[in-house]
Structures are given as C-alpha cells and as structure tokens.
Amino acid sequence: MPAALTQTLLWWLIAQGVGLTALPITAAIFRHLDDRGIAFSKIMGLLIWAYLFWMGASVGILPNTLSGMWIAWAGLLTISLLVIFFARKRIPWRQWRQVWQAQRSAFLITELLFTLALIGWVVVRAYAPGKIIFAYGEQYMELAFLNGILRSPGFPPLDPWLAGYSISYYYFGYVMMALFTRVSGASPTAAFELYDALIFALTAAGVFGLLRNLIRAGKGSKLAASLTGILGIIFLQGMGNLEGIFHLLQSAGELPMKILRWLDIPLLTAAPQIGSLYPGYDFRQWWWWAASRVVADKNLAGAPLGSGNITEFPFFSFLLGDNHPHKFALPFVILCIGFAFTLLIRPAGLKGRDWVFFYGFYTLALGALGFLNTWDMPISGLLAVIVFFIRQRGQSHPWRKTFGFGISFGAVSLLLYTLFYTHFSSQAGGVLPYVFTPTRLPQYAVMFAPFLLILAAFLTLLAQRHTHWRSTAVAWLGIVFLSYAPYLLISAAAWTAITNGWLPNLPGGWSDPLKLQILLGLSAPTQTTILSAAQVLERILLARLQDPFTFLLLSGLIAPGIAAAWRMQKEAASSDFDSPTLFGLIIATLGLTMTLGIEFYYLQDNFGLRMNSVFKFYFQGWVWMSIASAYACWWMWNHRWRSGWIKKLFFVIVIMLVAACLSYSLTALYSRVHGFAFPPHLDGAATLAGDYPTHWAASSDDWAAIRWLQTNVTGAPVILEAPGEDYQLNGRISAFTGLPTLIGWVGHESQWRGAGVNNEINARVADAALIYITPDAQVALDALHRRQVRYLTLGKVEREFIRQTCQKTSCDPLQAERKFDSILQLRFQQGETSLYAVP
C-alpha cells in the first residue's frame, strides 16, 4: 500500500500541475462564471495537453515519448502565458488578486472534493479483487489500447489485436491515460487503476463546479451552491438505480412474487433467496451486475430478445472498473455543458477577438467528445445551438444566424480532429426503427425513478408559472406527431425495401423477410407467407397501444418542458431573465428526450438489436437528468408551492427514493471490495499473475512471459498467440505488452471495423490455426514468414487451442507442439509457457 500512496500522490501532483497551468485559460474563458472556471481547469488543461500531444505525434512533429509529452505540456504553458499577456490591460494583476480573494473558498472546496474523490476511489480500486479481467467487461481491450498507444512510434497508434492496422476506435481517452502513465512512470497495469480514480475525481469536481455556478448565477448563497454541487455528485456518480433495493429484498425473501413478476427483470427474477438483506460479497457472483440489465426487450409475441439491454449508470461503470470511452467522456461532457451555460450568460456580444477565443476552445471541447465517445457529441452540439438561438432574441434573422452557427460550429469541431476521422472506420450502419414492444414503464422507472419524480415536479411548476395549459397540449400533440409520423413512414418503407430485396445484408437476419417475421414474433417458423406493410404496422401499433405508459410519461414530461422553455427564451432580453432556470429546464428536457428517442430508433450495429444504443443513450440521459435534478431540487426548495405540506411530502419521498438508490451503492461497493478482505494494492496484473484463487486467474507462467517481452523486446514486432472468441484469455499477451498479435478478440475487431474486415479476420484465424496444428514444420514456418510473425507463444491457452482444434481435424496435438522446437528459437520458458523467436 505505501507504493500505492506514493503513486496516488504523484498523480495528484500531475493533475494539480495540469490544472494550474491551464488556470489562466479557464479563467479567461469562464470569467463570467462565479468561480471563473476553477472547477474546469484540470479538465481543460488535460484536454489541451492531450490535443497538442496527439496532434504533434500525428503529424510527426512530436515523438510518442516522454520528451514529446513534456513539449506538449510546454505548449499548454505557452498558451496560458499568451492569455495572461494579451489580457494584462483588461485584467491587471490587482484584479487577479481580487478574484482570488473572492473565490478562495470555492477553490479550496473544489480542491478538497477533488482530492477526497481521488483518494477515496483509489482505496476502492486498491481493495477490489479481479482488477483487470478478461470476463464480464472490456478491460483487456482497454489495456491493449493503452499499451498499444505507449508502444506506437506515432499516431494513429497500432492495433495490438490486428497486426498491421491502426486502432479504429475513439481512442482519445487512452491517449490521455498514456500521458499520465508515462509522465508518472507508473506501470500500465497500475495506471489503469489510477486513471479510473482520476476520471472519478475530475467528474466530481466538474459537476460540483457546474452546479455551484448555476446556483450562484441564480442568486443562491455560497452554502446553497456548495450543497447543491455535492447533491449533484451524489445524483450523477454516487447512487445506483432501484434494482438494488429490490435485489436486497429478494435476497432476504421479502419481495412479493407479484412485484417480481410485475418488474420482470430477468436477472432479478433469477436472483437467489439467501435469507439476508445483504446478497454477499463473493466477487465470482456479482449480484450487483443485475442493475446494469434492467430493461429487457421482447418481440411482438412476448418472447425475450437477445441477452438484454445494457443499462449502465456512472456508479456501476466506476465500480466495474472498465476504462471505457463512455466513462472517459464524463468530465468533458460536463465541460461542454459549462461552455454552453457560459455562452448563455455572456454579457458581451458574439463578435470580436474575445468571441473567437471562446469559440475556438468551445469547438475544441465539443470536437473532443467525438474523439472520446462519439455518442456524446451530437447532444452537446445541439445544446450549443439551442443556447446560441436564445442569445439571438431581439436581433434580426435569428433562425438564419442559428443555422449558420450550427453548421460552422459542427464543421470546425470535426475539422480540428480530421486526423482521427481519416483513419476511423465503424460498424455503424445507419439508423433503424425500433419495431418491437416498447420499454415497460416499471423497468424504465427502476432505472430513473428519482429523476422522474423531481423533474416531473420541476417541469410542471415551471409550466404553470410561464405558460398556459394550451401551449403544453400543443407541444404534446407535436411530440406525438413527430414521434409517430416519421416512425411509421420509415418502418413501412423499410419493410417494403426488405420484402423487395432492396437492402444489403444486415445483421441478425434483417434482410430476410421470413426470418424477420419470426424475429418480430409475427409468424411461426413454418409460415411462408410474407405479410404486407399494413399488417406489420398494425401489429407494431397494437403493441404500443397496449403498453403506452413509458411514452405517455416521457411525452407528458417533455411537453411542459418545451412549452415553458419556449416561453422563457422569449424573455431572454429582459433584465430579470432567469438564465440558470431556463438552462436547467433545457438540460432536463434534452435528458428525457434522449431516452424517448430510443423508443423509436436505434443505431444499427453488429448486435442487430438496440442493446448498445440503449446503453449509450440511457447513460447520457442519466448524466443530463442528474444535473438537472440537482438544480431542480434547489429551485423547488426556494420557491413557493401552493401547499406547504405537499412540498414537504414531495421532498420526503425524494429523500426516500435517493436513500433506496444509495442502498445499492453501499452494498455493491462493499461487495466489490470483497469486504476489504484482500491486501490493498494497485497492480492490475495481479489477477493474470494468479495472485487470487479465482476462475479469472490465468497462469503465473504467462505473466512471466509477458514480463520477459516487456523487458527484452523493443519496437512493435508481430507476435502470435491463440486466436479465439471474445472475453477469453486469448489476446492476453498482446493486451499486456502492446505488441501486435496476428488476431486478438475476433468479435471486437469486427465490432470496431464493420463487416468489411471480416474476410481478413477469418483469413488470419485460419493461418493462426494452421501454424499451431500443422505437423509440417516447413508449412508452419512459411506461414509465420508470410504473416511477418517474430515471436510465437505456446502456453496453456495455446495448448488448449491446439487440443480442441485437433479434435475437429484429427491431428496429433503433441506432434503439432513438438515441431516448434525444430524450426523456432526458444527464447523463454517457464512452466507451461514458452516463447519462440521466428528465424
């Protein structure tokens, strides 16, 4: 643990250095906020530092080395000094001192929260067993990206799981992780744990600062602003959903069967009853996993679809320990929301050098979302466009100016990251209509219940104060029309195209109308009659009419939000304009709209269903609704209701719901750290090395081979290890070393690149199998040379691969293994694991 404390201190110091270096930039950008952007300084500094380094390494100006990273930091420092120089007349040193004296408390509180969050989550990661595992998560993939970036001479970085190719993924977060890894000198497996804690702390500081500034702009006291900021941290990343409390009751045998059936959450229904409220802390039985799978889709006949949708939320993601893009983007989403609020309250016009300065860094932040987690970019861009439109009130041609701004803003944001998009390919194949049964309200409420209650009251009160019920009714009818009219037209057109064979091959049998009818639950496997578009639409509409409750709830909340926002934005030019409340209203409405949109459309990908789309949009919806809910609590607490006892009852219910959600966080956290039973450390490789007696442990012999490669192999020569399916131990050598293997996790490579690379993947799998199982030494050597393999692994995983493959092809496993001794040079051997060099 002393080593972990030293590493944590070093990362804290680096974060402080980045934040202080960028503080003049954030103070200039966010000078209209109460704290002058102090809470965003580390996030902004990390963004600029990483961008300068990535851009320099991409064009060949900077090496992907420690010196290149320090040069990029010097670039960040230069920008800050230039900001100070050009602002010296407008903001003299005396004024900077006045700002510090006024905001000293905000700075100290923000830094205290950042430090406590960082240390607290480092402790969680230190005690959590099974840190970097191949099953149940994406940690091998994420570690492979980190090591691939560290080993690449420049950018785009090499793909450790597809030798000869560059990473085809939004990898900006891994560049940021690589910066902290190399500057701190931490091992990649320790940095993997530390960066999880760093993102947790940056997110906490960011949401605290955002909400604090919203409250202060709304003339709230410093105490109220700080308390609301802390509430925002709890809402955003401190609590779980309601599945947790139901799981505890089910574990104790106290959950009535009627409620269990009504919820119909598969993993909850299957949870064992052990007679205790606490389900246990056996990390091989992650009971808390069920909270990330609460929405179960069914076809029109009521049969389950797939393995369930992913319904992660920030606390679960941090608890799991995946360093995935949706988590990397969290502080930068908050940064972009902070930019949007600053744009809304800027007293200056939208012209001149100051506007260019603000616009430039805003586009840098928005474009970064596309590189961090592409799903986050459109909604944050839409927020910017909405706010810009509000700023045009009282000016000529507001719609035309807003349209021009939206086009230029999006174009510049993409242009800044052109070198990423030119090397990026995706599995995304367009948008498809969601033609199955809608999300059941009980499952949706389990996911978002506290936010729904808070925002329902908030939006209703605002609509009552700022608009008439007729405007809300018109908005609701507009939502119904815009939801169903395009949806039905697109569904009819899609069915017509499928039945006429106009569409290309789609995943999951979507191109075959007979198979699609079976998938939809419209016909039996023996039926050969193709239904008409009218018949299909009738069944789809009937299913939605039979279960309209989620749509009615969401549309019923979004309608007053739109009506109130439209009315309030007309007051933007008045002196008593309540900009924070309008901003909170917009955030709430957009958060709800994201989860409504997934009821009608989803992104086509290799999964064939909306599993991944629900994951991304629900996760974003949680972020936006949690921020809006924290603000709404402050607003409603400080505004009169028609009845005082209703207000008190409302907040009592809110507290009870939040407490129920926190019961998940506390028990799941204790479970994840295994009751603090294991010695704490930050070595993410401990599981692979076999330190824990779990079914995740591989072999200490493999870890010794990895260490030998890390010590003795420079550059990025191609290695070969057993190919195989995802979430298995194949790909372990490349993941932990960054050395590119011929083919790693097959399914993930297909997900990242789309079907266009499947032939190449299949060819590599076939060549790898040939090399391992053929008894002919010369055939194997020729294949190794053709694929330019320099090192071959023969460990427990490879021997099992040879044995299983030989069962199918009638080869001799022992003969297949012995041939390597005659054609290759043994460089390392320990126990069951050997490393051979290809001559």
Side-chain angles (χ1 to χ4, degrees):
M1 194 62 179
L5 292 174
T6 302
Q7 291 172 331
T8 304
L9 176 61
L10 184 56
W11 277 55
W12 182 85
L13 290 172
I14 296 171
Q16 295 298 332
V18 171
L20 290 173
T21 306
L23 191 56
I25 302 173
T26 52
I29 294 172
F30 301 107
R31 68 178 184 275
H32 303 298
L33 297 183
D34 181 73
D35 70 352
R36 305 305 194 273
I38 288 172
F40 302 138
S41 60
K42 295 181 183 63
I43 306 170
M44 196 73 205
L46 178 56
L47 169 61
I48 299 171
W49 181 27
Y51 180 80
L52 293 174
F53 173 69
W54 167 77
M55 180 61 76
S58 296
V59 300
I61 297 175
L62 294 180
N64 183 16
T65 61
L66 181 60
S67 61
M69 295 175 178
W70 282 117
I71 293 171
W73 194 329
L76 169 62
L77 178 61
T78 302
I79 295 173
S80 289
L81 293 175
L82 289 173
V83 169
I84 294 174
F85 176 78
F86 285 110
R88 68 190 188 283
K89 293 182 180 179
R90 187 176 56 202
I91 312 177
W93 175 248
R94 182 177 299 175
Q95 190 172 340
W96 283 108
R97 287 200 316 174
Q98 293 173 352
V99 169
W100 160 248
Q101 291 172 355
Q103 301 305 326
R104 182 168 48 195
S105 60
F107 178 81
L108 294 176
I109 294 173
T110 303
E111 288 304 315
L112 177 62
L113 285 172
F114 172 81
T115 303
L116 291 176
L118 179 68
I119 294 174
W121 207 254
V122 164
V123 171
V124 172
R125 296 308 307 163
Y127 277 99
K131 291 179 169 58
I132 299 178
I133 58 175
F134 63 83
Y136 306 119
E138 309 292 339
Q139 291 156 13
Y140 268 36
M141 174 203 99
E142 296 148 359
L143 183 66
F145 283 166
L146 172 61
N147 281 314
I149 289 170
L150 290 171
R151 193 171 282 273
S152 298
F155 296 149
L158 58 88
D159 186 343
W161 281 350
L162 198 66
Y165 284 72
S166 60
I167 292 175
S168 181
Y169 202 65
Y170 16 82
Y171 63 86
F172 199 27
Y174 302 100
V175 173
M176 296 177 178
M177 195 195 304
L179 288 173
F180 269 81
T181 302
R182 186 160 274 160
V183 170
S184 68
S187 68
T189 50
F192 193 91
E193 306 301 315
L194 288 164
Y195 199 71
D196 187 67
L198 179 65
I199 292 296
F200 186 87
L202 289 175
T203 303
V207 73
F208 172 81
L210 174 65
L211 282 162
R212 187 185 182 283
N213 283 301
L214 283 173
I215 304 306
R216 292 293 289 154
K219 298 180 174 56
S221 67
K222 290 183 178 181
L223 176 61
S226 297
L227 292 176
T228 306
I230 294 172
L231 182 64
I233 296 174
I234 295 172
F235 281 0
L236 175 60
Q237 60 191 116
M239 70 182 194
N241 59 34
L242 285 179
E243 193 279 339
I245 189 67
F246 288 122
H247 208 118
L248 301 184
L249 293 173
Q250 169 70 356
S251 175
E254 299 295 333
L255 187 64
M257 184 58 65
K258 288 184 178 180
I259 296 180
L260 195 63
R261 291 173 179 170
W262 179 64
L263 293 172
D264 194 24
I265 299 173
L267 293 180
L268 176 61
T269 302
Q273 298 182 7
I274 62 175
S276 169
L277 271 175
Y278 180 54
Y281 53 73
D282 188 344
F283 58 86
R284 290 167 292 186
Q285 299 174 3
W286 281 351
W287 65 266
W288 45 269
W289 179 275
S292 69
R293 301 295 189 276
V294 300
V295 174
D297 288 342
K298 296 182 178 181
N299 66 16
L300 299 178
L305 286 171
S307 58
N309 296 305
I310 302 173
T311 54
E312 286 194 26
F313 43 91
F315 181 82
F316 173 89
S317 298
F318 282 109
L319 194 69
L320 179 63
D322 278 5
N323 279 319
H324 215 56
H326 68 282
K327 198 166 71 177
F328 285 161
L330 275 173
F332 300 94
V333 169
I334 295 168
L335 176 66
C336 284
I337 295 175
F339 264 106
F341 183 63
T342 304
L343 175 61
L344 181 64
I345 64 174
R346 277 169 53 97
L350 304 180
K351 296 179 181 180
R353 187 174 63 185
D354 181 60
W355 167 245
V356 173
F357 176 79
F358 179 85
Y359 180 93
F361 282 104
Y362 196 174
T363 52
L364 182 72
L366 180 68
L369 289 182
F371 196 0
L372 282 159
N373 186 43
T374 308
W375 303 73
D376 285 302
M377 185 178 179
I379 193 68
S380 293
L382 178 59
L383 175 63
V385 172
I386 292 172
V387 170
F388 184 89
F389 174 77
I390 295 172
R391 288 302 308 268
Q392 300 305 305
R393 294 302 305 174
Q395 300 186 27
S396 60
H397 309 295
W399 289 99
R400 188 174 68 186
K401 290 180 180 178
T402 302
F403 178 79
F405 168 79
I407 296 298
S408 67
F409 193 65
V412 174
S413 299
L414 294 173
L415 185 64
L416 289 170
Y417 297 87
T418 302
L419 295 179
F420 160 65
Y421 292 104
T422 54
H423 296 92
F424 179 67
S425 60
S426 173
Q427 62 168 319
V431 176
L432 289 177
Y434 176 69
V435 291
F436 301 101
T437 55
T439 302
R440 295 183 61 247
L441 182 58
Q443 295 176 354
Y444 184 85
V446 165
M447 184 70 185
F448 296 112
F451 305 147
L452 295 175
L453 176 63
I454 294 169
L455 296 181
F458 179 58
L459 296 172
T460 301
L461 289 172
L462 282 175
Q464 289 177 349
R465 291 167 185 261
H466 293 280
T467 189
H468 195 271
W469 68 267
R470 293 190 185 89
S471 299
T472 301
V474 170
W476 184 80
L477 291 174
I479 293 171
V480 173
F481 177 79
L482 291 176
S483 297
Y484 277 96
Y487 169 74
L488 294 176
L489 287 174
I490 293 172
S491 300
W495 183 257
T496 303
I498 291 170
T499 54
N500 286 279
W502 298 339
L503 293 182
N505 290 329
L506 300 175
W510 281 76
S511 299
D512 187 330
L514 291 176
K515 290 183 179 179
L516 184 53
Q517 285 182 182
I518 298 171
L519 180 64
L520 289 170
L522 296 175
S523 62
T526 57
Q527 184 173 329
T528 59
T529 303
I530 298 177
L531 301 178
S532 66
Q535 291 173 308
V536 173
L537 290 181
E538 179 184 359
R539 291 291 301 275
I540 294 172
L541 270 176
L542 181 61
R544 290 180 176 269
L545 290 174
Q546 289 175 340
D547 191 2
F549 304 108
T550 300
F551 174 78
L552 291 175
L553 172 68
L554 289 174
S555 60
L557 292 178
I558 295 170
I562 292 175
W566 183 256
R567 178 64 180 175
M568 290 180 70
Q569 62 88 23
K570 291 184 176 181
E571 305 166 357
S574 64
S575 58
D576 59 346
F577 171 56
D578 190 356
S579 55
T581 301
L582 174 58
F583 191 76
L585 175 60
I586 295 170
I587 296 295
T589 305
L590 288 176
L592 293 165
T593 302
M594 279 187 274
T595 60
L596 175 62
I598 204 67
E599 293 297 302
F600 293 92
Y601 307 99
Y602 68 99
L603 192 67
Q604 176 197 334
D605 53 27
N606 284 10
F607 299 106
L609 298 169
R610 66 168 186 162
M611 178 186 76
N612 206 42
S613 297
V614 168
F615 169 28
K616 299 296 186 178
F617 285 103
Y618 271 35
F619 192 87
Q620 290 183 71
W622 182 289
V623 173
W624 290 60
M625 282 191 269
S626 65
I627 294 171
S629 295
Y631 178 83
C633 284
W634 170 81
W635 187 88
M636 290 186 290
W637 183 263
N638 288 279
H639 285 74
R640 289 185 179 181
W641 293 39
R642 291 183 178 179
S643 173
W645 71 266
I646 293 179
K647 179 179 179 179
K648 294 177 182 178
L649 177 62
F650 168 81
F651 278 103
V652 167
I653 296 174
V654 168
I655 292 171
M656 292 173 63
L657 280 174
V658 172
C661 292
L662 287 173
S663 69
Y664 171 86
S665 306
L666 296 174
T667 51
L669 183 66
Y670 190 72
S671 175
R672 184 67 180 94
V673 299
H674 199 78
F676 301 98
F678 292 111
H681 65 87
L682 291 175
D683 183 8
T687 306
L688 181 79
D691 287 1
Y692 296 123
T694 79
H695 66 296
W696 295 321
S699 165
S700 57
D701 299 335
D702 282 345
W703 178 242
I706 289 169
R707 295 289 294 166
W708 186 90
L709 288 168
Q710 291 172 336
T711 303
N712 296 281
V713 177
T714 58
V718 179
I719 66 171
L720 180 64
E721 53 190 321
E725 295 304 318
D726 301 356
Y727 307 109
Q728 302 297 326
L729 275 170
N730 54 286
R732 69 209 185 281
I733 307 295
S734 48
F736 280 84
T737 63
L739 293 169
T741 189
L742 185 60
I743 177 64
W745 285 8
V746 172
H748 275 62
E749 286 293 345
S750 180
Q751 290 174 30
W752 301 332
R753 302 175 187 279
V757 78
N758 284 348
N759 290 337
E760 174 64 18
I761 291 174
N762 293 334
R764 291 178 179 229
V765 171
D767 279 352
L770 173 67
I771 292 168
Y772 276 114
I773 70 169
T774 180
D776 191 321
Q778 190 59 46
V779 169
L781 186 60
D782 290 343
L784 287 166
H785 286 159
R786 186 174 68 255
R787 288 296 186 176
Q788 300 179 346
V789 175
R790 294 288 304 279
Y791 292 92
L792 180 141
T793 306
L794 184 62
K796 183 178 180 180
V797 175
E798 285 70 34
R799 298 179 199 277
E800 180 64 20
F801 172 75
I802 292 172
R803 186 189 66 79
Q804 292 182 1
T805 308
C806 281
Q807 286 180 348
K808 302 174 185 176
T809 59
S810 302
C811 64
D812 184 354
L814 292 178
Q815 189 177 3
E817 293 179 24
R818 290 194 190 105
K819 70 175 181 293
F820 294 126
D821 292 322
S822 64
I823 59 172
L824 305 180
Q825 301 165 357
L826 182 65
R827 292 295 177 84
F828 171 86
Q829 185 173 29
Q830 176 176 308
E832 292 186 276
T833 304
S834 301
L835 290 174
Y836 292 91
V838 180

